[in-house]
Amino acid sequence: MTTHIPRRGFLGALGLGAAALALPGCSSAVDKASTGTGGKKVLTIVQGADIAPATLFGQNNPNFSINRTVFNTLTEYDHRTLRPQPGLAESWQVKGNAVTLKLRSDVTFHTGRPFTADDVLFALENLKRPEVASQLKHVAQAVAKAEKNGDHEVTITFAHPVGNAFDLFEIMIIPDRETIRELAAGTKIIGTGPFKVDSYTPGTGVTLSKNPKYFKPVKLDGVEIKVISQSTSMVAALRSGQAHLALDLAPLDAAGLKGDSGFQVVVSDANDSVFYVGSNVTVKPLDDKRVRQAVAYAVDRNRILSQVLGGIGKASSLPWAPSSPAYDAAKAGTYSYNTAKAKELLAQAGASGAKIDLFYNAGLGTNAKIAEIVQFNLKEAGLNVSAVPLQAPDFQAKLTGGGIGGLFVNGHGFGQLSPATLVKGAFPFNAEKNASKFTDGTYRSLADELWQKPGAPVYGKVNDFLLDQQFVSDLVASAHTFTISTKVKGLAYTMFDYLNLDGADLA
């Protein structure tokens, strides 16, 4: 069955503001599987891509399984209220542009070294380093002063008001400063979390064991993370009992488990997955916003939603989740499937019949299927579109390097919390530098206003600007999924969709 968890009807919070999922027990093939060597409770996770230790400081989907299992953050949002809850910080006070955080005194790193205020100061400085990628880097760079008030208290003062400081506190893992170089290389992955890394084999997976000194009781004895590139093979691992949890199965593969009482498809209420078509605005004819608007009208969003995403999500022209204060239901429907309107705009721009390349990550089945529909729709509208599949590393390198020479299909997050995080940090929308090479002084000013003076007036202005310029054409606001055996109890996740296994158990 598929479970959609409404924001206000969310089940009771488990641990530090993460969503607890109480699952019914029933019989299936996985019930016959051993829970681990010597009767130990070992949760086995399968995912389509390997973890990437060098990218742990920002949101990167393959790291969802270790960001919050191996590490902790200062705070974590409550899913129902979206108010920050304690993490490594027990409490805090906000005064003007300063936040004073009182830290837990009973936390140690996996090496046995005590966690102190110095580790928070180091984490902030680490994010400022040029080689460290994080969607919240702009918040760390806005810190005017960070100082400790003893071993377990820090005061962080920002140079100006920021509306997303607690987004930073939730996404910023606290690494071990003594092994930071080894962390980037993946040779030592050390945090303070409920599980510690016993071994990591790049391309294959990670073995974790319980952290005996964790500051809360942990029920699982360990976690195995296995990399299985094909979604259908992940399903087979679930059915055979070789795995208990699959991260982000292809939606249609997950749908095949709906009738099996031994499994449940949990749809994240964070709604942190939006699929889009991006335009490199330096490539003709995409330098004309009428062409980009034509693209937005040409795509059949509802077909993508039903045929590719299995109905998980909602067609939308905006980047925000419904939980975002910037979400506007009326404006979300600005662009809908209208081939005639697309043809009209292309004719006005003198772009009818223009040749355009459409790039996509061939390693992601969902993106490949969306690209097929986008290509078909754009040809219907009168564009001569050639699909260009790229392997994951090539696509990512071109995306981040601004080297995509046309249109591109991809997904983005950061529409679920503080709107400033999207326009200041999410790479498709970053007002300073983005994948579309879109630069505009008005947009930069709006992004700064949204960051420093958030509120309904600027939300409306930003929405109108994005809908007009269409350097990103949002298609469907969807969600990450966790497909689980009903043996799994107490699964939780953060508002950035990082797995939280503090209270997880195997029946």
Side-chain angles (χ1 to χ4, degrees), residues 424-478:
K424 293 290 291 185
F427 193 57
F429 292 92
N430 191 325
E432 298 299 326
K433 181 181 179 182
N434 52 66
S436 294
K437 293 188 174 180
F438 179 83
T439 58
D440 184 274
T442 299
Y443 184 43
R444 286 193 293 269
S445 296
L446 284 172
D448 285 339
E449 184 180 351
L450 187 62
W451 186 26
Q452 299 180 34
K453 299 177 182 178
V458 69
Y459 298 154
K461 288 187 287 186
V462 168
N463 284 338
D464 290 342
F465 186 91
L466 293 175
L467 289 169
D468 178 58
Q469 293 296 323
Q470 283 302 288
F471 59 93
V472 174
S473 295
D474 283 296
L475 305 176
V476 178
S478 189

Side-chain angles (χ1 to χ4, degrees), residues 40 43 48 73 136 276 286 364 479 506:
K40 290 185 176 181
L43 178 73
T73 57
L136 274 297
Y276 70 92
L286 298 173
L364 296 175
L506 285 173

